[in-house]
Amino acid sequence: MSRATAGPEIERLISLLAKLPGLGPRSARRAVLHLLKKREALMGPLAEALADAADKIRACTTCGNLDVTDPCAICAAPGRDPSVICVVETVGDLWALERASAFRGRYHVLGGTLSALDGIRPDDLNISRLMERASGAEAKEIVLALNATVDGQTTAHYLADKLTPLGVAVTSLARGVPVGGELDYLDDGTLAAAFRSRRPA
Amino acid sequence: MSRATAGPEIERLISLLAKLPGLGPRSARRAVLHLLKKREALMGPLAEALADAADKIRACTTCGNLDVTDPCAICAAPGRDPSVICVVETVGDLWALERASAFRGRYHVLGGTLSALDGIRPDDLNISRLMERASGAEAKEIVLALNATVDGQTTAHYLADKLTPLGVAVTSLARGVPVGGELDYLDDGTLAAAFRSRRPA
């Protein structure tokens, strides 16, 4: 806790901004000075955008995505294939797949992974709603797009066991050499996985 | 410019946050997800604190410090010595000196440095008000606490030339080995300055 050097209004703003990931007390101070310099162009609009977002943005009750509408824009989009549901851990992962234009189906946001260490059990995740959706007449394929971490893969196995009996195809993302990846710098696990999954050139 | 993947409200928030120093588009997205998770505890209060600060905080007409009152809390504090005025480039520098509890006089914020390259001339800085204050009956010493950069030192020389004829003492911060500094890692300029200004142990 740094001693207050500016007024309480400024100190309060600094301490709130310092709670954002990626900003510490020092960068929060720099950010506040920048904001006070750009009062009209940045500080006012940011205050409004924050209040607006805090007021309007809700989790979609179908898929767990964040949007101002419920169902969210992706669940409501008529052009997207409702028969394929891509399961992701977080909304950030959903955004990453959307940025890659990798997928034109629907999503399902779990809200985390199973974790014995952190005491996160199936009931803590958005799993029962996924089971409902996977049991629906439209669902044909569930893509498990979970992180390639121990917790992510444990969760993927758990979900595959629960989903397969429902008669839907359960798939997961391919493992291999990333685009631009140099073999010499890749970890052994990725190299071994890429070798096992080799395919005709 | 990344393609919009979230709704326009979220994208707007991301693009505004990405304008803060130290945050790029990727960390702004992480910050927005964090804010949406901590809606009550962080997002709402931050929106309020920003609106409040944008509304209330002004530059002090005496010294240029940022505060909700004018004159600012430092200019108004009866316990601070009005005969010593410390000249700094920015409010961030003022905060740094206050954090160090280095000084119990008054400040004067120039708002930058002279810079031929960026076309910043004496009229663009808060210099005429400094001359007024230095000419006042109370002023005895002006401490030039400008950055040890080329522009900072050019500005310090310019100010020293203007202030000395007014009959006030003009001083500047000492140069030397920083606390915790290891000689082997210091630049030659600092070492030479520390050697020239050596003093009895």
Side-chain angles (χ1 to χ4, degrees):
Chain A
M1 195 64 196
S2 72
R3 204 155 3 84
T5 51
E9 291 79 7
I10 293 179
E11 288 296 329
R12 180 171 153 72
L13 194 51
I14 292 172
S15 70
L16 285 168
L17 275 175
K19 287 182 185 162
L20 293 181
L23 283 181
R26 184 175 286 265
S27 43
R29 276 196 300 269
R30 278 180 59 218
V32 167
L33 284 170
H34 185 79
L35 283 164
L36 286 166
K37 233 183 245 172
K38 313 231 163 180
R39 209 180 293 251
E40 307 297 324
L42 187 54
M43 198 173 197
L46 182 58
E48 272 174 46
L50 278 168
D52 199 45
D55 186 42
K56 288 190 196 157
I57 292 167
R58 294 286 172 269
C60 171
T61 49
T62 303
C63 76
N65 186 18
L66 294 165
D67 204 343
V68 291
T69 56
D70 183 12
C72 72
I74 292 176
C75 283
R80 300 189 71 121
D81 184 355
S83 71
V84 190
I85 298 170
C86 177
V87 179
V88 292
E89 291 176 21
T90 65
V91 174
D93 296 336
L94 185 160
W95 290 353
L97 285 166
E98 284 295 288
R99 278 198 302 280
S101 304
F103 178 60
R104 296 300 299 169
R106 306 282 165 89
Y107 288 94
H108 193 85
V109 181
L110 284 182
T113 53
L114 299 176
S115 167
L117 219 63
D118 298 331
I120 298 174
R121 290 141 36 85
D123 291 350
D124 300 321
L125 301 178
N126 190 11
I127 291 179
S128 58
R129 188 80 181 88
L130 174 62
M131 293 303 145
E132 276 175 43
R133 294 179 75 193
S135 314
E138 281 185 325
K140 288 190 189 132
E141 181 184 350
I142 312 289
V143 185
L144 300 175
L146 304 182
N147 289 333
T149 56
V150 172
D151 283 345
Q153 293 310 301
T154 307
T155 311
H157 280 125
Y158 175 86
L159 291 177
D161 285 349
K162 300 262 283 180
L163 289 164
T164 310
L166 300 177
V168 288
V170 180
T171 58
S172 66
L173 298 184
R175 294 297 169 73
V177 181
V179 175
E182 299 184 51
L183 299 196
D184 197 15
Y185 291 92
L186 277 178
D187 64 292
D188 299 348
T190 303
L191 267 184
F195 205 85
R196 275 199 306 275
S197 310
R198 65 190 179 279
R199 47 178 200 177
Chain B
M1 194 65 196
S2 71
R3 205 155 3 84
T5 52
E9 291 79 7
I10 294 178
E11 288 297 328
R12 180 172 153 72
L13 194 51
I14 292 172
S15 70
L16 285 168
L17 276 174
K19 287 181 186 162
L20 293 181
L23 283 180
R26 184 175 287 263
S27 44
R29 277 197 299 269
R30 278 179 59 218
V32 168
L33 285 170
H34 186 80
L35 283 165
L36 286 166
K37 233 182 245 173
K38 312 231 163 180
R39 208 180 293 251
E40 307 296 323
L42 187 52
M43 199 174 198
L46 181 57
E48 273 173 47
L50 278 168
D52 199 45
D55 186 42
K56 289 190 196 156
I57 292 168
R58 295 281 172 272
C60 171
T61 48
T62 303
C63 75
N65 185 20
L66 293 165
D67 204 342
V68 292
T69 55
D70 183 13
C72 72
I74 292 176
C75 283
R80 301 189 70 122
D81 184 354
S83 71
V84 191
I85 297 171
C86 176
V87 179
V88 292
E89 290 177 22
T90 65
V91 174
D93 296 336
L94 184 160
W95 291 352
L97 285 168
E98 283 297 286
R99 278 198 302 281
S101 304
F103 179 60
R104 297 299 299 167
R106 306 280 165 93
Y107 288 95
H108 194 86
V109 181
L110 284 182
T113 52
L114 299 177
S115 167
L117 220 62
D118 298 331
I120 298 173
R121 290 140 34 86
D123 290 349
D124 301 321
L125 301 177
N126 191 11
I127 291 179
S128 58
R129 187 79 183 89
L130 173 63
M131 293 302 146
E132 277 176 42
R133 293 179 74 192
S135 315
E138 281 184 327
K140 288 188 190 134
E141 180 185 350
I142 312 288
V143 186
L144 300 175
L146 304 182
N147 289 334
T149 56
V150 172
D151 283 345
Q153 293 311 300
T154 308
T155 311
H157 281 124
Y158 174 87
L159 291 177
D161 285 349
K162 300 263 282 181
L163 289 163
T164 309
L166 300 177
V168 288
V170 181
T171 58
S172 65
L173 297 184
R175 294 297 168 74
V177 180
V179 174
E182 298 183 52
L183 298 196
D184 196 17
Y185 290 91
L186 278 179
D187 64 292
D188 299 348
T190 303
L191 268 183
F195 205 85
R196 275 198 305 276
S197 310
R198 65 192 178 279
R199 44 179 204 179

